[in-house]
Each structure stands twice: as C-alpha cells, then as structure tokens.
C-alpha cells in the first residue's frame, strides 16, 4: 500500500520565517526526510534527535536528500523559537503541526497526558520521495533507536 503525504496546509518554518503551505505541494518532486518529535524543548528531542540531523546534514545531502523537516505537535511560535536555539538551524525546516492534522493522518498521535503534555506525535522518521513515503521508522514508547539520524542514514 502506497502512503502519500496529505494535502494539508500547515505552518512551515524556513530560515526563521513562518509560511503556511500545503505540505503535499511543498514536497513535490523532492526526496526528503521528515522526523517527528513529541515536543519542542523536550529533553530527548532537543538534546539527541534534532541535533543528530544537524550533525549529519551534509551526509544526507551526499545521499541526494533535498531537505530535512522536523515535525512536532506544537504551534508555529513555539517551533520557530525552538529552531532558533540551534546553530545551523537553517538546515532543518520546521513543520508546526499544532492541530495534529498530519500526525493524525499517519496514525502517529499519542496521548501523553500522564506526563502533562496532552496529545503529541510519536517519535518517528520517514524517507519521502515525490510525496510517497518510502520507509517509516516509528519508535516504541520512551525509546530513541530507529528514528535517529544515524539509523536513517543507514537506510538510504
């Protein structure tokens, strides 16, 4: 079964600017990585997941990846502020899935209410080419193994 990127308009943060775009149109004719995190400013997301994609950005480019996107169920103000805390933040494009529309579409919405975080994205990474998901790597709750930058590079 082919999984396609949905035609959903979301705030996208590029070079510190917020624009509302149809994600399907944004990814047309591109080979990209989308990785999803439970939340901006959270420990594993901020200290391991996001920095890994910054660290290996040039390696992804060498593997013909056009762009890398980070998705979180946060509003665009939070995503913009979080992205601005990183050096080389212009290499990673933010997707502020504040209403969890994309996350729900991929059945990746998890309830983290027990941790006072509400509904969030499961931690994942996917390889997408021309709006078709080629591979998706979904973490088990509380883990950080299969969606790391290093693991995604191994699968390209």
């Amino acid at each position: 079964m082919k999984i396609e990127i949905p035609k959903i308009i979301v705030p996208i943060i590029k070079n510190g600017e917020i624009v509302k775009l149809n994600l399907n149109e944004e990814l047309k004719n591109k080979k990209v990585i989308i990785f999803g995190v439970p939340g901006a400013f959270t420990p594993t997301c901020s200290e391991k997941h996001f920095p890994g994609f910054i660290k290996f950005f040039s390696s992804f480019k060498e593997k013909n990846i056009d762009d890398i996107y980070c998705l979180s169920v946060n509003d665009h103000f939070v995503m913009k502020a979080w992205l601005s805390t990183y050096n080389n933040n212009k290499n990673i494009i933010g997707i502020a899935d504040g209403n969890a529309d994309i996350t729900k579409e991929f059945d990746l919405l998890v309830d983290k209410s027990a941790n006072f975080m509400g509904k969030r994205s499961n931690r994942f990474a996917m390889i997408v080419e021309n709006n078709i998901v080629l591979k998706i790597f979904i973490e088990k709750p509380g883990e950080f193994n299969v969606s790391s930058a290093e693991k995604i590079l191994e699968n390209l």
Side-chain angles (χ1 to χ4, degrees):
M1 181 173 86
K2 246 189 334 187
I3 303 171
E4 188 170 347
I5 297 297
K7 295 176 180 168
I8 295 174
I9 295 173
V10 288
I12 295 178
I13 299 93
K14 288 183 183 183
N15 300 318
E17 298 295 321
I18 299 167
V19 289
K20 292 179 180 113
L21 299 170
N22 180 317
L23 187 60
N24 187 281
E25 285 295 315
E26 169 71 9
L27 303 182
K28 187 187 275 184
N29 300 317
K30 290 183 181 180
K31 186 171 185 181
V32 304
I33 304 297
I34 300 174
F35 68 100
V37 297
F41 295 106
T42 57
T44 302
C45 306
S46 295
E47 297 164 13
K48 296 178 183 176
H49 209 178
F50 195 97
F53 283 95
I54 291 174
K55 180 180 178 182
F56 292 105
F57 183 79
S58 60
S59 299
F60 282 105
K61 286 296 199 178
E62 289 170 10
K63 300 263 188 181
N64 298 315
I65 295 297
D66 295 303
D67 290 311
I68 300 174
Y69 294 80
C70 177
L71 177 145
S72 184
V73 179
N74 288 111
D75 65 66
H76 56 278
F77 301 109
V78 169
M79 283 295 287
K80 180 179 177 182
W82 185 48
L83 293 173
S84 74
T85 66
Y86 292 95
N87 293 332
N88 301 321
N89 62 17
K90 290 177 175 55
N91 290 341
I92 310 297
I93 301 167
I95 302 172
D97 191 21
N99 294 332
D101 293 331
I102 295 165
T103 304
K104 285 184 239 176
E105 185 78 21
F106 286 109
D107 197 26
L108 292 168
L109 193 66
V110 293
D111 188 351
K112 294 198 173 274
S113 297
N115 296 326
F116 303 98
M117 294 174 66
K119 304 260 195 260
R120 298 294 179 115
S121 172
N122 200 345
R123 185 178 308 283
F124 72 90
M126 60 177 72
I127 302 167
V128 179
E129 188 166 8
N130 197 23
N131 281 310
I132 303 300
V133 177
L134 301 178
K135 295 180 184 176
I136 187 165
F137 308 88
I138 303 169
E139 296 286 359
K140 292 178 182 168
E143 292 189 7
F144 177 59
N145 298 308
V146 299
S147 68
S148 70
E150 296 89 340
K151 289 291 184 184
I152 302 308
L153 273 170
E154 289 173 10
N155 282 279
L156 286 174

